[in-house]
Amino acid sequence: MTHIKDIAERPSQEDVQAISKFSPATIHEAQGRRGALSSRLKPVDYRMKLCGPAFTVKSSPRDNIMLQLAINYAKPGDIIVVSGGEYEEAGSFGDVLANACLAKGIGGLVTDTGVRDTLQLRDLGFPVFSLSVCIKGTVKETIGTTNDAIIVGGEIINPGDVIVGDADGLVVVRRHEVQAVAKLSQAREDAEAGFIAAYKAGKSVIEVSNLEPVLKAKGLVVDM
């Protein structure tokens, strides 16, 4: 017997809002260069962004019955994250299911398989990140699981972990680390703002990044 499970513990809306202010690249660097999903997973439109707790789904390749169950049971703001076996030759999600997600207030979809109807998805504005775009249809046969730990894009995704995505890619933040990572991300952005100000004030990249002792130690000689 298979049981549909909800997320055991979602991060607070305040914590999700706090981490949503930062790009996946900033978050990845701030949390010690951890959590970046494979760069093969891309949004169907570069303007798409998402941030929210992961509602995880394990499905069989070329089968979207578990994705449909996830849409039915996910809560507003959840990001449905599907482990479908990294199968590129299937369009497991399109404009019809995107409309179902929008009607429920679901925050986005991440899948390691394919999607289709990308023109309509762009018009709808529902955030979709996928491994491929493929017109081939799927079946509805094999029951999988919801809200167990899965692997997507080379990263373990636990239910309730926060997924953040933009044009550059995706990152996962462990749900118990969201507050701390938001603070680290802000500190990184503040530091980078200082670097930019220094460049505008006329300082060189070597000065700003304190590269002179590093380059000297490596034996760099500049002939000009």
Side-chain angles (χ1 to χ4, degrees):
M1 181 178 293
T2 301
H3 296 270
I4 295 293
K5 296 186 291 186
D6 192 11
I7 299 173
E9 182 181 349
R10 287 176 173 81
S12 70
Q13 290 184 354
E14 292 77 12
D15 286 348
V16 173
Q17 181 64 31
I19 201 74
S20 71
K21 299 174 184 177
F22 306 105
S23 71
T26 292
I27 293 168
H28 169 61
E29 295 285 353
Q31 64 179 358
R33 296 188 174 178
R34 295 182 294 122
L37 276 63
S38 170
S39 60
R40 295 170 66 200
L41 296 168
K42 293 296 186 186
V44 300
D45 189 295
Y46 73 92
R47 294 166 293 188
M48 290 178 172
K49 297 180 180 182
L50 56 76
C51 180
F55 188 105
T56 63
V57 183
K58 179 71 173 177
S59 69
S60 294
R62 206 173 63 83
D63 191 321
N64 80 344
I65 191 170
M66 290 308 300
L67 171 54
Q68 298 209 31
L69 285 172
I71 294 169
N72 189 73
Y73 291 103
K75 300 293 194 302
D78 286 350
I79 307 299
I80 296 175
V81 183
V82 183
S83 173
E86 296 187 347
Y87 189 79
E88 298 183 44
E89 294 300 315
S92 62
F93 183 90
D95 65 323
V96 174
L97 291 181
N99 275 284
C101 290
L102 286 168
K104 289 202 63 179
I106 291 169
L109 170 74
V110 176
T111 178
D112 69 356
T113 182
V115 300
R116 59 187 184 182
D117 304 328
T118 55
L119 287 177
Q120 293 91 332
L121 292 177
R122 292 184 185 109
D123 289 341
L124 288 168
F126 180 70
V128 176
F129 288 66
S130 67
L131 183 62
S132 68
V133 173
C134 181
I135 64 172
K136 299 176 184 177
T138 56
V139 298
K140 300 169 181 62
E141 294 182 355
T142 306
I143 298 297
T145 63
T146 62
N147 289 316
D148 288 326
I150 59 174
I151 296 177
V152 173
E155 286 289 325
I156 296 173
I157 313 292
N158 301 295
D161 287 347
V162 173
I163 304 294
V164 185
D166 69 9
D168 291 340
L170 294 153
V171 69
V172 58
V173 181
R174 304 305 170 202
R175 66 172 180 264
H176 61 278
E177 297 180 354
V178 175
Q179 289 185 3
V181 173
K183 293 178 181 178
L184 291 170
S185 297
Q186 185 61 63
R188 181 174 177 83
E189 285 207 343
D190 292 343
E192 289 183 341
F195 297 158
I196 293 170
Y199 296 145
K200 290 181 176 180
K203 289 190 175 181
S204 71
V205 293
I206 291 178
E207 290 177 291
V208 171
S209 297
N210 195 29
L211 289 176
E212 186 171 350
V214 176
L215 297 173
K216 184 176 180 180
K218 293 181 179 297
L220 179 71
V221 176
V222 179
D223 295 321
M224 296 186 68

